[in-house]
Amino acid sequence: LLYDELGRYEEAEDLLTEALAITAQVYGTQSQAYAVTLSNAGMHYRYKGQYPKSEDYLGQVVALQKSLSGPNS
């Protein structure tokens, strides 16, 4: 997100794409670590003004957090 704050959006996007792939491989797509990385991607697209894409990523975070929390949360 630092690159986003500096306006270096392309570099930020490249790093986020790599981070999503690595996090998925190491921790799996049903992990808290993956949720954090998805959240970072959502915020990246918010910084870029790509709100539909941001909403998609952040919606995935909400769904993942609900599934990780279990039915009694």
Side-chain angles (χ1 to χ4, degrees), residues 3-67:
Y3 282 152
D4 286 321
E5 291 177 13
L6 296 173
R8 296 167 63 179
Y9 301 117
E10 288 186 29
E11 291 171 88
E13 194 162 334
D14 290 343
L15 291 171
L16 279 167
T17 300
E18 186 176 350
L20 280 168
I22 291 169
T23 305
Q25 183 179 18
V26 173
Y27 298 103
T29 58
Q30 297 297 307
S31 66
Q32 185 65 36
Y34 192 70
V36 168
T37 308
L38 283 173
S39 179
N40 288 341
M43 296 307 294
H44 163 73
Y45 288 109
R46 184 182 70 87
Y47 278 121
K48 285 182 72 173
Q50 294 182 1
Y51 301 113
K53 202 163 189 177
S54 174
E55 185 176 4
D56 179 53
Y57 277 99
L58 296 175
Q60 290 179 57
V61 173
V62 170
L64 181 53
Q65 292 289 17
K66 284 181 180 180
S67 73

